[in-house]
Amino acid sequence: MGTRDQDQGAVVEPARAPLTVAGAREVTAGLREAMGDVRRTVAVLAARVRDADGARVWVPLGYTSWEAYCQAECAISRAQAYRLLDVARALAAIHEAVHAGTALSRTRDTAPAALDYGLSQRALVAVCGRMDDVTELITCHLAALAHSGLNALDEQTVGTVVRQAVRDVRTAPPPAPADPSADPVLVALRVVVDELAAHTHQVGELMLEVAPAYLSDTDAAGVLAPLCEQIGEPLDHGLAARRYALTGDRRALHGTVL
C-alpha cells in the first residue's frame, strides 16, 4: 500500500526495485501478448458484427435500424455502430482476397481467427473506403509469391502481406500533378518527401501505441514528452506524426515535419 502525503493529499507509491534484463524481457513479452490479444479481439468482434448485420438481428427485436439496435442493446454511439460495420466489411474483403490467392485451408473460413491478420481497428477504418486498392495489392503480392515457387503460404507470411498492403494504402503519396515537372531535382525531392512521410507514419503508429487516439493533443503531449525526449524527436513532430497516423492526411505534417 502506498502512503498518503499529508501536504499534497496524494498517494505516494512505494519505490520499486530496478528491473533486471530478464524481468524487463518478461514484462515486454506480456505487453506484446496483450497487444496481440487486443488485435484478436478486433477480429472476433468484426466476425460477430458481420454475422449480426447479415442476419438483420435488429428486426426480430423490434428495432428500426442497426443504429437503433446498437444504441439500445450495446450502448454505443451511432458513429461507433457504423465504424464496426466498416471494420467488419474491410476484414471480410481482405479475407476473400487472401483465400482467393492462397492455398490456406478453407476449413478455417468460419472461424473468427481466420480474420485475424494483426490489424488494428484504427488501420481498418482508415482504409475502409479504399478496399479495392488494398485487395488488389494483396492479390498481386500473393500472386508474386506463388509465382516464385511457394505452393502454400503460411499464415505468418500472409499476415505480413496483408499488413503491408494496408500500410501501403494508408501511406500512399497523393496523386502526381496532372502536368508533373521534368526537372530531375524536383522529381528527386518528391521521392524524398514521400519516403519521409512513410517514415513519419511509422513514428506516428508508435506514438499512438503510447498515447491512444482517444486522448486529445494536450493530454497526449504529457504522455509523449518523455518518449520524444528519449528518441530525440521534437514533441511537436511527435504529435504531428500521431495526427498523421490517425488521419492519413499529410496536411497534419505541414509546419513541422514537412
Side-chain angles (χ1 to χ4, degrees):
M1 296 289 291
T3 58
R4 181 168 296 277
D5 188 306
Q6 298 298 325
D7 295 328
Q8 302 297 327
V11 174
V12 179
E13 295 293 333
R16 297 183 180 181
L19 278 177
T20 63
V21 172
R25 291 292 183 195
E26 183 179 355
V27 170
T28 301
L31 178 61
R32 287 175 177 162
E33 182 180 0
M35 289 179 177
D37 289 342
V38 169
R39 293 189 178 100
R40 283 187 290 274
T41 299
V42 170
V44 172
L45 177 60
R48 299 289 184 265
V49 168
R50 185 182 61 175
D51 292 344
D53 179 54
R56 296 175 61 83
V57 67
W58 60 89
V59 174
L61 294 178
Y63 298 106
T64 58
S65 64
W66 168 256
E67 171 190 341
Y69 164 77
C70 286
Q71 288 179 330
E73 297 290 338
C74 305
I76 61 175
S77 67
R78 177 182 184 277
Q80 179 64 8
Y82 287 104
R83 193 176 299 122
L84 288 175
L85 286 181
D86 286 340
V87 169
R89 290 163 182 166
L91 274 173
I94 290 172
H95 184 57
E96 289 176 9
V98 165
H99 281 263
T102 69
L104 291 177
S105 171
R106 294 180 183 274
T107 61
R108 299 176 66 253
D109 281 6
T110 57
L115 293 176
D116 176 19
Y117 301 107
L119 296 167
S120 68
Q121 185 177 136
R122 182 178 65 251
L124 290 163
V125 170
V127 299
C128 65
R130 301 183 61 189
M131 287 313 301
D132 287 347
D133 295 334
V134 173
T135 54
E136 182 180 356
L137 280 177
I138 292 171
T139 301
C140 290
H141 291 166
L142 292 177
L145 287 173
H147 185 69
S148 70
L150 291 175
N151 294 324
L153 301 174
D154 60 47
E155 293 182 20
Q156 182 176 358
T157 301
V158 171
T160 299
V161 168
V162 169
R163 290 190 296 275
Q164 186 62 52
V166 170
R167 187 179 300 114
D168 287 347
V169 169
R170 291 184 73 186
T171 61
D179 186 20
S181 171
D183 186 335
V185 175
L186 290 179
V187 172
L189 179 60
R190 189 173 295 118
V191 171
V192 171
V193 170
D194 290 343
E195 291 176 350
L196 177 59
H199 171 72
T200 302
H201 192 278
Q202 293 176 346
V203 173
E205 290 282 355
L206 171 63
M207 298 299 167
L208 281 169
E209 293 289 350
V210 177
Y214 63 81
L215 294 178
S216 67
D217 262 14
T218 301
D219 292 337
V223 176
L224 293 176
L227 173 62
C228 289
E229 182 177 357
Q230 184 177 11
I231 65 176
E233 187 81 18
L235 179 58
D236 59 339
H237 287 202
L239 290 170
R242 177 176 176 271
R243 289 192 295 271
Y244 180 41
L246 272 170
T247 64
D249 191 331
R250 286 194 184 183
R251 289 174 295 183
L253 305 178
H254 290 178
T256 53
V257 180
L258 296 179

